[in-house]
């Protein structure tokens, strides 16, 4: 009989595609703000902090995951909320400057969605950034942010399913203690 396993750290946040995409969003937002929004504009700080919060809450959630599914779910939820806020800031920027939003019927939409889905690292996207006009860049950001929010939704669903299957840390610790006592008596 094997000893029940509990409180093991989960996969590093750096290996998560959702983190890598969130990191690209932060880096691209920083790049965008440098050339498009004055540092004295409140929007500058709001967008940068929303992008940072999207990334950092994934880091903290995954780091605390071994001891609490509840904390991981909450922090991934905060990351998702921050990315929704950032999404809305990009939409505001586009709307107020009359930049075209690409719908699914736009001839470049499918390719953009596939490109964003297939790449996760910040170096790929930052290499594109200098070559894109505002319409292309902003639509790429909307796509990346929406995909990352979708990924966070799936991660939260997986954490919930894992909790229902294995229970929380207290249940796992109790099962391990009972197993240990049973093993000692045999």
């Amino acid at each position: 009989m094997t000893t029940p396993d509990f409180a093991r750290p989960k996969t590093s946040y750096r290996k998560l595609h959702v983190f890598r995409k969130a990191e690209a969003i932060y880096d691209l937002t920083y790049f965008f703000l440098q050339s498009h929004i004055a540092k004295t504009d409140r929007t500058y700080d709001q967008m940068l902090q929303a992008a940072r919060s999207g990334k950092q809450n994934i880091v903290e959630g995954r780091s605390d995951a071994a001891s609490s599914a509840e904390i991981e779910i909450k922090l991934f939820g905060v990351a998702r909320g921050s990315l929704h806020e950032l999404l809305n800031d990009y939409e505001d920027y586009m709307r107020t400057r009359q930049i075209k939003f690409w719908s699914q019927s736009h001839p470049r939409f499918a390719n953009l969605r596939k490109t964003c889905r297939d790449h996760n690292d910040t170096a790929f996207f930052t290499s594109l950034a200098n070559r894109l006009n505002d319409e292309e860049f902003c639509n790429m950001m909307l796509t990346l942010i929406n995909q990352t929010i979708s990924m966070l939704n799936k991660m939260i669903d997986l954490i919930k399913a894992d909790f229902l299957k294995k229970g929380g840390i207290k249940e796992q610790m109790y099962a391990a203690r009972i197993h240990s006592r049973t093993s000692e008596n045999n």
Side-chain angles (χ1 to χ4, degrees):
M1 193 180 247
T2 61
T3 304
D5 195 15
F6 65 94
R8 282 181 96 67
K10 290 186 176 181
T11 304
S12 168
Y13 65 87
R14 291 194 181 277
K15 293 182 180 180
L16 297 175
H17 293 306
V18 70
F19 168 77
R20 295 176 66 209
K21 232 177 246 314
E23 183 176 56
I25 290 167
Y26 173 82
D27 291 352
L28 290 165
T29 297
Y30 181 83
F31 169 83
F32 173 80
L33 292 171
Q34 296 298 303
S35 58
H36 289 79
I37 307 289
K39 285 188 179 184
T40 56
D41 186 332
R42 187 156 190 256
T43 303
Y44 182 100
D45 188 51
Q46 291 290 110
M47 288 180 76
L48 191 60
Q49 289 308 312
R52 183 182 185 281
S53 177
K55 178 176 77 73
Q56 292 303 113
N57 279 290
I58 294 168
V59 171
E60 188 176 354
R62 182 43 60 119
S63 298
D64 293 342
S67 61
S68 175
E70 178 185 3
I71 290 173
E72 186 178 22
I73 289 169
K74 283 181 180 178
L75 291 170
F76 281 10
V78 171
R80 181 179 54 197
S82 295
L83 291 173
H84 274 289
E85 181 183 340
L86 182 62
L87 179 71
N88 190 259
D89 284 331
Y90 276 107
E91 289 171 343
D92 288 348
Y93 179 87
M94 293 172 73
R95 188 185 64 258
T96 59
R97 287 154 182 88
Q98 298 175 343
I99 297 171
K100 184 177 181 174
F101 289 80
W102 295 355
S103 68
Q104 290 184 3
S105 63
H106 189 279
R108 295 178 63 192
F109 182 81
N111 188 45
L112 174 63
R113 186 168 55 188
K114 181 181 182 328
T115 298
C116 290
R117 185 184 60 237
D118 292 348
H119 297 279
N120 296 310
D121 72 291
T122 194
F124 174 81
F125 290 107
T126 54
S127 71
L128 290 179
N130 288 322
R131 301 185 308 220
L132 302 177
N133 63 36
D134 281 359
E135 182 179 325
E136 294 165 331
F137 184 89
C138 288
N139 279 285
M140 178 180 74
M141 292 306 295
L142 297 184
T143 303
L144 279 171
I145 294 167
N146 276 311
Q147 287 179 353
T148 306
I149 289 169
S150 178
M151 291 170 81
L152 282 165
N153 288 337
K154 289 175 184 170
M155 292 286 295
I156 290 168
D157 287 345
L158 288 171
I159 297 162
K160 289 179 194 177
D162 189 56
F163 176 80
L164 291 174
K165 181 179 175 186
K166 296 179 183 176
I169 187 73
K170 288 181 182 179
E171 292 167 295
Q172 293 173 33
M173 291 169 72
Y174 178 76
R177 186 177 65 201
I178 296 301
H179 178 274
S180 175
R181 287 181 179 166
T182 303
S183 296
E184 287 174 7
N185 293 333
N186 290 336

